Amino acid sequence: MTDKNVTDRGELRALILSASFGSGHLQANDALDQALRAAGVNLSARHADFLAYLNPFERAVTAGTYDLWLRHAPAMYKAFYDWTDSETEPKALTGTFGWLGLRGMTRDVQEVAPEVVVGSYPTTVALSNTARKRLGVDFLNALIVTDYRVHHHWARPEAELLLVATEEAREQMARWKIPAGSVEVTGIPIAAEYRTLIGADKTALRLKHGLDPALPLILISGGGTGTYRALKPVLNELSGLGRRVQVLVLAGARGRGVQRVGGATVHQLGHTDDFPELLAASDLVVGKAGGLTVAESTTLGIPQVIHEPIPGQEEHNADYLERHGAALWARKLHEVRPAVLRALDGDENARMGHCARMISVPDAADRVAAALLKRLGR
C-alpha cells in the first residue's frame, strides 16, 4: 500500500552515487532506489559511478592503487587507512575530495537538477557540495555509511544527512564533531529480497539449486571484485575439515563447475543473480567482512567465520560481529579449520545465528528512504 501524500508531491529527482571499488556501494544504492519506489515515490533517479567521473590517469591512481594494495600489499593499505583516520591528515589529500571528478559531477547536477544527492561512498558528498556551490543550486546532500565503524573520511561535514549502521556509529560521528541532528541510525540498506528469505526452507533452496540438502553448506565471502587473497588457502582448510561439506565460490571463482577437493564438494559459480537464495540456503559464511555481506548475512541469521578481512574497515566490521557473538574471527590460517568446525556444530550454529539476527536491520533500506523523505518534507 502506498502513501497518497507521497505520490501527490510529484516527481522526486535524485542523483544517486556509488563507487565501483567493490559491489557493496552499488547494492546499497539499488536497495534505496527499490525502497523509495516501494514507498510510492515517483522517482526519477540517475545512478552514477564516481570512478566514471575521473579521467584515466585519476582512475589509475585511485582505483588502481587500491586494487594493487589489496592484491599485493594489504599492510600498505592498512597503514594508509590508519594514517588518514585522523583530523590531522594532510589537507593536500582531503582537499582533493572536493574537486576530483568535478566536471562529471557538475554535468550530472546540471542535467538532473536533483532535489537530493545521495552517495554511498564518502568523497561523493564533498564533490557534490562543491558542485552546488559553483552552480548556485540547492539540494539535500546525503551519505549512506556502508561500514560498521566511522572512519574519518565518512564523517562529512558537507552532508546535511548521514545515515549510519548502528548507535555505535552515531557516537563515532559525534566524536568527529558531526552535529547530532545530521545523523540517523538506519542500518545498511539491502535488497528487499532478503526479507522474503528470512526463515526460508534451506532444504527446498538447496534442491532448487542442485545442492545436497544433507551436507553442511559453506559460502565463501570473497568480495565483488575477486581480490580475496586468502581464497585458495581457505579452500584448502575447508577440504581438510575431517567431515564432508559443500562450498560455494562466487567472486574469484577459477572457471565454472563442480569438483571434489578432499572432503569438500566445491561449486565454482562466479557471478550469479541467485546470491540471496544461495546465502539463505547456507549454514555458514567464511571469508571477508564487507559491510553489505554482513548486513545480508545477519538479516538471514547466517553465522560467519572471518579470515583476512580487508585491513581497516573490514577488520572493524569483523570486530563488531565478534563482539556480538555473530562471528568467529580466525586471525591466523591455522585457526580457520577449528573455527569452521565450531561454527558448524548444531548448538553453536544456532546460537551464533540468533546473535546475528539480534543485530540485523532487515528494513534498513526503508529506514533510509523514510529519513530522506522526512528531510525533504515529503
Side-chain angles (χ1 to χ4, degrees), residues 286-307:
V286 176
K288 292 166 71 276
L292 268 290
T293 300
V294 170
E296 293 158 355
S297 299
T298 54
T299 288
L300 296 175
I302 311 297
Q304 293 185 242
V305 169
I306 299 162
H307 178 65

Side-chain angles (χ1 to χ4, degrees), residues 98-154:
W99 62 262
L100 196 62
L102 184 58
R103 178 179 295 181
M105 174 69 79
T106 301
R107 179 202 63 227
D108 279 357
V109 169
Q110 286 178 312
E111 293 179 358
V112 175
E115 189 176 343
V116 58
V117 175
V118 56
S120 56
Y121 185 72
T123 61
T124 59
V125 176
L127 195 61
S128 57
N129 184 59
T130 302
R132 68 177 170 181
K133 286 182 176 179
R134 290 197 175 187
L135 294 170
V137 298
D138 193 25
F139 49 74
L140 176 65
N141 202 13
L143 179 64
I144 302 168
V145 180
T146 56
D147 286 313
Y148 286 81
R149 177 184 176 273
V150 177
H151 181 278
H152 182 223
H153 288 175
W154 284 113

Side-chain angles (χ1 to χ4, degrees), residues 325-344:
L328 302 174
W329 186 355
R331 290 167 173 80
K332 303 292 185 182
L333 183 61
H334 69 82
E335 297 174 350
V336 170
R337 180 177 177 272
V340 169
L341 289 172
R342 174 181 166 187
L344 288 177

Side-chain angles (χ1 to χ4, degrees), residues 21 54-67 69 100:
F21 290 103
L54 308 182
N55 63 42
F57 174 75
E58 292 166 342
R59 280 196 296 275
V61 171
T62 54
T65 300
Y66 177 74
D67 183 74
W69 278 344
L100 196 62

Side-chain angles (χ1 to χ4, degrees), residues 18-102:
S18 62
S20 54
F21 290 103
S23 60
H25 304 292
L26 179 59
Q27 290 170 9
N29 289 346
D30 285 346
L32 170 60
D33 186 301
Q34 293 174 17
L36 286 168
R37 296 180 193 277
V41 173
N42 180 15
L43 181 66
S44 174
R46 176 177 294 184
H47 288 257
D49 179 1
F50 162 69
L51 292 185
Y53 289 163
L54 308 182
N55 63 42
F57 174 75
E58 292 166 342
R59 280 196 296 275
V61 171
T62 54
T65 300
Y66 177 74
D67 183 74
L68 183 68
W69 278 344
L70 294 192
R71 290 181 186 275
H72 304 292
M76 290 185 67
Y77 177 74
K78 169 68 169 173
F80 176 80
Y81 179 95
D82 291 340
W83 177 57
T84 56
D85 194 25
S86 168
E87 291 179 335
T88 61
E89 69 172 308
K91 298 297 182 185
L93 175 62
T94 58
T96 65
F97 298 163
W99 62 262
L100 196 62
L102 184 58

